[in-house]
């Protein structure tokens, strides 16, 4: 290709005002030919800046990355029903396959770096960024499709490599890890990134991302083995599970111990009202939270997409048309512990469901931060499709007008690193010490106002440590796009999702609620049973077997092992018959 078609096509969405200023002085795009470009470090820097639009963000079809219709969330608009209910089928085209275009942009920079005539040390950070983004995109492809072709060259329409078969997931993982190692070698540390360039990839971010990949693949292999491999796929060259877990632990600890990062916890400020977990996700300026904390106070986000109302607005009706139609399920609400660190069942701190807001009392602060305490309000279970009775506050920007919401979007934050560390330790050793718990997830529980998880607490109350760590992960990372991937790598996707999704407890004879009286009669002012086409179901709750509204019945869900991966788009197989389809499609 004579013209560099990718240089600023991606960069036009760049989130950094400093980079935007640089681009204003560039020659027209059609002048950026191979002959005139990649001649000095500035050219490489400008090109590498374009990679950042590849990160997930508010304009990335974000509802497709919020785990809607999972066991945690229903929604009015039905996004992600294919994965949530098992209705995945082969389609002609899948936009996720287009990530090979993003991989191509990385290959272009790396290829030009190989022929660079100047001092290679001057361009090494930009080459490292290319390695990171290539790994980032390959990991995304791996999670959706499993093994895919590994492409390291800049193909033209006549390249023979376009007919290459798929590489196994094991080859792809090794390739991803190799790219991340190359990124870690030469990326700058967070402390050396200038304020104007915050949001660029740091060495610590690459380490944390590698820890994520290592935990993902170690647990995938531990609980799924080769069951999702396509016919003819090579298996792993060796057993790498413990090797991956060991390195995940090491990398996570290095990031945890780095002074560049800390949890965003301002609960000591009475104006915040113990809602640090809410305001963390809507920081734009001093007006976006009661404590007047700006973006510079957020040292929890390690990797993120940068947004700004002027330079790079979110441009989504986040408050009005996205978050307003996201409804947490009964199961998710029940996952939040009481402040004594124990589940709600059989817990004297749990106040039940008799009045609106009772179930929010004496609970993890994150329940109010993410869902919103409805105490004092009237909830009407009627009319709205998918409405569980619960709302969503996470990511909501209360001071922003429609389409102005432009908080930075988190890709990877310190809280996840704590969770990676704790989970990897238990998966590797079958145990975790109290000191290790205090160094990791108990920091999250401190912010959430919940008693520490200790081995004694678990033993004395019949709690399984791994289950509790998974619970902590599920609660902390709500709506950040981890739930489906977690259920798959733990090997429990079909078991978990082939169950009904339920909403609020509506009560029954002998158990009065705002929706039924003690005789079991419906209170029509607050509950319209006809609005719930699937009726009610009696399920185990914090106060025993009680009747709840049903949003998605188990009979609508047909998840199976094949659904751990999506099918390859048919058009790609038609173009390249050497590509083998995933099993079960």
């Amino acid at each position: 290709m004579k013209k560099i078609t990718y240089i600023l096509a991606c960069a036009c969405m760049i989130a950094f005002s400093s980079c935007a200023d640089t681009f204003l002085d560039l020659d027209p795009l059609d002048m950026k030919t191979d002959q005139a470009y990649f001649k000095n470090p500035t050219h490489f820097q400008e090109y590498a800046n374009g990679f950042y639009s590849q990160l997930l963000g508010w304009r990335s079809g974000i509802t497709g990355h919020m785990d809607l219709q999972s066991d945690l969330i229903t929604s009015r608009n039905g996004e992600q029903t294919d994965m949530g209910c098992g209705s995945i089928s082969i389609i002609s085209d899948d936009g996720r396959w287009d990530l090979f275009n993003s991989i191509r942009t990385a290959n272009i920079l790396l290829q030009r770096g190989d022929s660079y005539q100047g001092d290679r040390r001057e361009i090494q950070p930009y080459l490292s960024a290319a390695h990171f983004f290539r790994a980032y995109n390959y990991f995304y492809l791996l999670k959706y499709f499993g093994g895919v072709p590994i492409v390291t060259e800049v193909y033209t329409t006549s390249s023979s490599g376009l007919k290459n078969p798929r590489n196994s997931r094991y080859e792809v993982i090794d390739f991803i890890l190799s790219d991340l190692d190359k990124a870690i070698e030469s990326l700058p540390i967070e402390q050396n990134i200038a304020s104007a360039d915050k949001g660029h990839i740091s060495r610590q971010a690459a380490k944390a991302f590698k820890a994520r990949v290592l935990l993902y693949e170690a647990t995938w292999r531990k609980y799924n083995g080769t069951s999702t491999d396509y016919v003819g796929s090579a298996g792993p060259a060796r057993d790498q599970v413990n090797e991956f877990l060991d390195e995940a632990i090491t990398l996570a600890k290095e990031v945890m111990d780095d002074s560049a990062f800390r949890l965003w916890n301002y609960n000591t400020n009475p104006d915040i009202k113990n809602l640090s977990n809410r305001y963390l996700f809507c920081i734009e300026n001093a007006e976006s939270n009661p404590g007047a904390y700006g973006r510079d106070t957020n040292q929890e986000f390690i990797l993120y997409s940068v947004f700004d109302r002027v330079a790079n607005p979110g441009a989504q009706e986040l408050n009005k048309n996205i978050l307003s139609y996201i409804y947490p399920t009964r199961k998710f609400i029940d996952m939040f512990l009481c402040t004594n660190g124990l589940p709600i069942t059989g817990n004297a701190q749990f106040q039940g469901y008799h009045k609106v807001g009772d179930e929010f009392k004496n609970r993890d602060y994150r329940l109010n931060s993410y869902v919103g305490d409805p105490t004092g309000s009237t909830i009407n279970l009627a009319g709205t499709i998918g409405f569980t009775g619960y709302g969503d506050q996470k990511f909501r920007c209360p001071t922003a007008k429609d389409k102005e919401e432009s908080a930075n979007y988190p890709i990877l934050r310190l809280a996840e690193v704590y969770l990676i560390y704790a989970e990897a330790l238990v998966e590797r050793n079958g145990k975790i010490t109290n000191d290790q718990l205090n160094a990791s997830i108990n920091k999250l529980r401190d912010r959430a106002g919940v008693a520490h998880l200790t081995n004694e607490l678990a033993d004395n109350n019949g709690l399984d440590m791994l289950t509790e760590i998974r619970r902590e992960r599920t609660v902390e990372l709500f709506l950040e796009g981890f739930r489906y991937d977690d259920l798959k790598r733990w090997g429990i996707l079909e078991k978990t999702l082939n169950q009904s999704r339920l909403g609020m407890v509506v009560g029954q004879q002998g158990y009065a609620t705002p929706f039924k009286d003690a005789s079991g009669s419906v209170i029509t002012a607050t509950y319209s049973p006809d609005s719930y086409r699937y009726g009610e179901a009696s399920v185990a709750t914090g106060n025993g077997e009680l009747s709840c509204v049903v949003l998605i019945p188990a009979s609508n869900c047909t998840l199976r092992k094949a659904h751990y991966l999506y099918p390859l788009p048919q058009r790609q197989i038609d173009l390249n018959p050497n590509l083998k389809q995933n099993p079960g499609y």
Side-chain angles (χ1 to χ4, degrees):
M1 291 179 64
K2 290 294 182 184
K3 291 192 176 179
I4 308 294
T5 60
Y6 293 92
I7 292 177
L8 299 180
C10 292
C12 66
M13 296 170 61
I14 194 71
F16 311 105
S17 58
S18 62
C19 296
D21 293 339
T22 300
F23 294 151
L24 294 177
D25 298 327
L26 297 179
D27 294 332
L29 296 186
D30 59 4
M31 299 298 293
K32 299 303 182 188
T33 63
D34 285 348
Q35 289 74 28
Y37 211 63
F38 295 112
K39 299 301 183 184
N40 59 57
T42 299
H43 292 162
F44 282 84
Q45 179 186 31
E46 291 168 354
Y47 187 97
N49 284 341
F51 293 145
Y52 289 87
S53 65
Q54 297 172 14
L55 293 172
L56 287 178
W58 299 120
R59 299 193 299 269
S60 302
I62 197 60
T63 54
H65 300 93
M66 285 184 161
D67 297 328
L68 307 184
Q69 321 306 338
S70 71
D71 57 326
L72 308 180
I73 315 156
T74 64
S75 74
R76 170 178 172 173
N77 298 322
E79 299 95 332
Q80 293 187 275
T81 301
D82 57 350
M83 176 58 74
C85 294
S87 59
I88 301 172
S89 59
I90 299 174
I91 56 177
S92 177
D93 290 294
D94 189 323
R96 289 169 288 226
W97 199 262
D98 293 341
L99 287 178
F100 279 106
N101 291 333
S102 296
I103 289 167
R104 190 176 194 278
T105 65
N107 288 341
I108 288 173
L109 186 64
L110 292 170
Q111 183 186 76
R112 301 309 186 268
D114 287 341
S115 59
Y116 182 61
Q117 298 299 308
D119 185 347
R120 188 176 176 87
R121 291 174 296 181
E122 295 179 328
I123 65 169
Q124 193 58 53
Y126 316 122
L127 302 180
S128 292
H131 282 294
F132 176 86
F133 278 97
R134 188 165 67 178
Y136 175 85
N137 285 301
Y138 262 113
F139 185 55
Y140 193 102
L141 286 168
L142 178 98
K143 290 190 295 180
Y144 277 93
F145 300 115
V148 293
I150 293 175
V151 181
T152 59
E153 303 173 20
V154 181
Y155 287 162
T156 67
T157 55
S158 60
S159 295
S160 60
L162 292 172
K163 298 295 183 181
N164 282 349
R166 299 172 67 174
N167 289 86
S168 71
R169 73 173 295 118
Y170 315 103
E171 292 169 324
V172 173
I173 277 291
D174 287 344
F175 182 69
I176 291 169
L177 297 177
S178 174
D179 258 351
L180 290 174
D181 285 338
K182 293 172 184 175
I184 291 168
E185 286 177 7
S186 299
L187 283 170
I189 61 172
E190 182 68 29
Q191 294 90 330
N192 290 344
I193 296 176
S195 296
D197 292 329
K198 288 298 184 184
H200 281 73
I201 304 296
S202 68
R203 186 179 306 167
Q204 297 100 317
K207 287 182 177 182
F209 190 80
K210 187 180 182 186
R212 175 193 287 182
V213 173
L214 289 163
L215 177 64
Y216 181 93
E217 186 62 14
T219 49
W220 183 285
R221 295 187 193 183
K222 182 174 181 177
Y223 295 109
N224 294 301
T226 59
S227 61
T228 61
D229 291 354
Y230 60 87
V231 174
S233 169
R238 65 184 188 280
D239 183 355
Q240 296 172 292
V241 171
N242 287 341
E243 173 187 331
F244 286 175
L245 291 171
D246 284 338
E247 188 174 5
I249 294 165
T250 298
L251 290 173
K253 191 65 165 63
E254 289 177 4
V255 176
M256 288 161 50
D257 291 343
D258 198 303
S259 61
F261 308 104
R262 61 179 176 86
L263 290 183
W264 197 85
N265 184 6
Y266 288 92
N267 285 344
T268 55
N269 182 339
D271 293 334
I272 294 295
K273 298 180 180 179
N274 295 321
L275 296 176
S276 288
N277 275 92
R278 177 183 298 179
Y279 295 118
L280 167 64
F281 299 99
C282 63
I283 300 172
E284 293 190 55
N285 50 45
E287 287 73 44
S288 59
N289 61 82
Y293 299 112
R295 294 178 193 259
D296 61 324
T297 66
N298 183 1
Q299 293 175 280
E300 181 167 340
F301 288 7
I302 298 173
L303 175 62
Y304 52 96
S305 291
V306 177
F307 286 88
D308 180 88
R309 291 190 189 183
V310 176
N312 189 46
Q316 302 293 307
E317 290 185 323
L318 192 62
N319 292 339
K320 181 180 179 181
N321 283 332
I322 295 179
L323 299 178
S324 293
Y325 299 121
I326 289 176
Y327 312 120
T329 63
R330 156 95 278 119
K331 178 178 181 178
F332 181 60
I333 301 302
D334 288 348
M335 283 186 171
F336 290 88
L337 302 172
C338 289
T339 57
N340 60 11
L342 298 174
I344 61 175
T345 302
N347 194 327
Q349 286 192 334
F350 182 61
Q351 298 298 297
Y353 312 96
H354 293 295
K355 296 178 182 178
V356 171
D358 278 357
E359 60 182 310
F360 283 70
K361 296 175 181 176
N362 304 323
R363 302 287 292 278
D364 184 325
Y365 295 156
R366 288 170 293 193
L367 179 56
N368 189 11
S369 290
Y370 291 172
V371 179
D373 185 351
T375 299
S377 63
T378 298
I379 295 175
N380 190 357
L381 296 180
T384 303
I385 297 171
F387 184 46
T388 63
Y390 302 104
D392 173 70
Q393 295 298 322
K394 190 170 183 178
F395 294 124
R396 193 176 289 275
C397 304
T399 63
K401 297 178 181 178
D402 290 340
K403 292 191 175 183
E404 282 190 356
E405 306 98 328
S406 300
N408 292 341
Y409 182 80
I411 307 296
L412 199 160
R413 56 191 179 96
L414 182 59
E416 183 196 347
V417 179
Y418 289 144
L419 293 160
I420 289 170
Y421 177 74
E423 183 182 347
L425 279 168
V426 176
E427 290 286 6
R428 176 65 175 93
N429 304 318
K431 60 183 179 180
I432 183 171
T433 69
N434 288 345
D435 285 344
Q436 290 167 332
L437 287 166
N438 290 338
S440 56
I441 63 173
N442 280 335
K443 294 180 182 292
L444 305 180
R445 289 164 79 112
D446 284 340
R447 179 167 63 180
V450 175
H452 281 192
L453 176 61
T454 65
N455 284 280
E456 293 75 19
L457 182 78
D459 292 343
N460 293 339
N461 293 279
L463 303 178
D464 175 70
M465 184 62 74
L466 182 58
T467 299
E468 291 308 303
I469 289 172
R470 289 180 176 181
R471 180 210 299 270
E472 193 71 32
R473 178 181 176 88
T474 301
V475 167
E476 177 68 31
L477 301 179
F478 173 65
L479 275 187
E480 295 179 54
F482 290 95
R483 186 58 172 170
Y484 283 125
D485 289 335
D486 285 345
L487 295 177
K488 288 188 285 187
R489 67 186 178 87
W490 295 333
I492 57 173
L493 180 76
E494 62 273 53
K495 176 183 176 182
T496 303
L497 296 188
N498 286 336
Q499 299 178 16
S500 298
R501 274 57 142 200
L502 307 172
M504 278 192 166
V505 169
V506 293
Q508 58 210 36
Q509 184 176 4
Y511 197 96
T513 70
F515 313 108
K516 290 183 183 180
D517 61 26
S519 70
S521 298
V522 170
I523 300 173
T524 57
T526 56
Y527 179 35
S528 175
D530 291 342
S531 296
Y532 292 88
R533 59 183 297 193
Y534 300 112
E536 301 173 7
S538 182
V539 298
T541 72
N543 272 174
E545 292 280 332
L546 294 174
S547 189
C548 305
V549 291
V550 178
L551 283 305
I552 301 175
S555 58
N556 282 11
C557 303
T558 56
L559 273 293
R560 51 195 173 88
K561 199 70 175 183
H563 296 142
Y564 282 51
L565 297 174
Y566 277 80
L568 271 61
Q570 186 58 47
R571 183 169 176 269
Q572 296 303 321
I573 294 177
D574 293 342
L575 291 169
N576 179 9
N578 292 320
L579 296 175
K580 301 297 182 183
Q581 186 56 274
N582 279 326
Y585 293 103

